[in-house]
Amino acid sequence: MDTNNKITLSFLSLSENESFARSVASCFALHLNPSVAQISDIKTAVSEAVTNAIVHGYPNGVGRIVLESELVGGKIHINVFDFGVGIENIDEALEPFYTTKPDEERSGMGFTIMKSFMDEVRVVSEKGNGTKVYMTKTIRDDAV
């Protein structure tokens, strides 16, 4: 049985940090010997979660984002937290094509993309206190 392992990364909500967070999460998953497709899925989901935090969590400035990742058995758990404006209506935000920025090049597909690339996605948010995105992907069948 594998030993569980966990990392926590805190960074500023700057667009250049999105690729760093994506790389960290995918590199951390390497211990589970994922396929190239699984690595791509993780990178895409983390990219969407971090981009949402940057664009929507802190629309008027720079704030802090936390990425946590934990390996448990054959699964990787990835959490992305911001402490920004929060989401007023999560059910509405989870709908495909919903966007709070229709005048920008935003498709409103971030959560839909996360759900399609990860096995589990859960979003918790409180207006004025930020958003927490919890994602899980099974890499191996021996997941506990």
Side-chain angles (χ1 to χ4, degrees):
M1 177 158 207
D2 292 336
T3 301
N4 295 350
N5 194 5
K6 185 173 184 174
I7 62 166
T8 302
L9 174 69
S10 178
F11 54 94
L12 294 179
S13 62
L14 301 172
S15 60
E16 58 261 38
N17 288 335
E18 174 271 326
S19 62
F20 178 68
R22 180 180 65 218
S23 296
V24 167
S26 61
C27 287
F28 188 64
L30 290 176
H31 176 72
L32 298 178
N33 196 27
S35 68
V36 171
Q38 289 169 323
I39 286 290
S40 180
D41 291 352
I42 290 166
K43 284 181 173 182
T44 300
V46 170
S47 180
E48 291 295 331
V50 171
T51 297
N52 274 359
I54 292 168
V55 171
H56 301 289
Y58 301 105
N60 301 314
V62 175
R64 186 170 62 96
I65 297 172
V66 173
L67 177 130
E68 295 177 342
S69 189
E70 184 173 17
L71 304 177
V72 180
K75 290 185 179 185
I76 183 166
H77 301 276
I78 300 169
N79 308 321
V80 176
F81 305 152
D82 72 62
F83 307 91
V85 300
I87 299 172
E88 191 167 338
N89 184 332
I90 291 177
D91 292 333
E92 186 176 46
L94 292 173
E95 287 294 316
F97 304 111
Y98 175 80
T99 181
T100 59
K101 298 188 179 281
D103 297 336
E104 296 181 16
E105 292 184 26
R106 300 283 165 210
S107 67
M109 293 298 289
F111 288 127
T112 302
I113 291 169
M114 287 178 235
K115 287 180 175 182
S116 68
F117 286 100
M118 301 298 276
D119 298 321
E120 299 170 30
V121 176
R122 186 169 57 95
V123 181
V124 177
S125 188
E126 184 179 332
K127 188 83 172 143
N129 288 318
T131 301
K132 296 177 172 140
V133 178
Y134 301 91
M135 302 180 287
T136 302
K137 185 158 191 74
T138 300
I139 305 297
R140 298 191 318 245
D141 290 334
D142 67 338
V144 182

